[in-house]
């Protein structure tokens, strides 16, 4: 939280841009780690199968057989 005005960081609701995501991923020492999606703080994780574009959005997708 932003302690100055008790508000959430902007990315919490707006998300991150591709460049923000790349910059953050570059901080990982082990660049061979697999990337997963989670909607519950990591209790359940799904691997990213595809990356795509739909309209003005970049999509990270999990594709199940």
């Amino acid at each position: 939280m932003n302690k100055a005005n008790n508000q959430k960081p902007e990315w919490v609701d707006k998300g991150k841009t591709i460049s923000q995501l790349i910059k953050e991923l570059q901080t990982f020492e082990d660049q061979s780690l697999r990337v997963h999606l989670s909607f519950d703080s990591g209790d359940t994780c799904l691997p990213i199968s595809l990356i795509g574009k739909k309209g003005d959005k970049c999509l990270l997708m999990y594709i199940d057989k």
Side-chain angles (χ1 to χ4, degrees), residues 15-29:
K16 294 186 177 191
T17 64
I18 293 171
S19 61
Q20 289 170 324
L21 182 58
I22 289 170
K23 187 175 181 178
E24 191 167 339
L25 289 171
Q26 288 173 334
T27 68
F28 285 78
E29 187 175 323

Side-chain angles (χ1 to χ4, degrees), residues 27-43:
T27 68
F28 285 78
E29 187 175 323
D30 184 354
Q31 292 286 306
S32 67
L33 291 173
R34 300 230 181 241
V35 180
H36 287 74
L37 298 170
S38 178
F39 300 100
D40 56 10
S41 299
D43 291 333

Side-chain angles (χ1 to χ4, degrees), residues 41-55:
S41 299
D43 291 333
T44 305
C45 297
L46 300 167
I48 291 177
S49 305
L50 296 170
I51 299 174
K53 181 179 178 184
K54 185 170 185 177

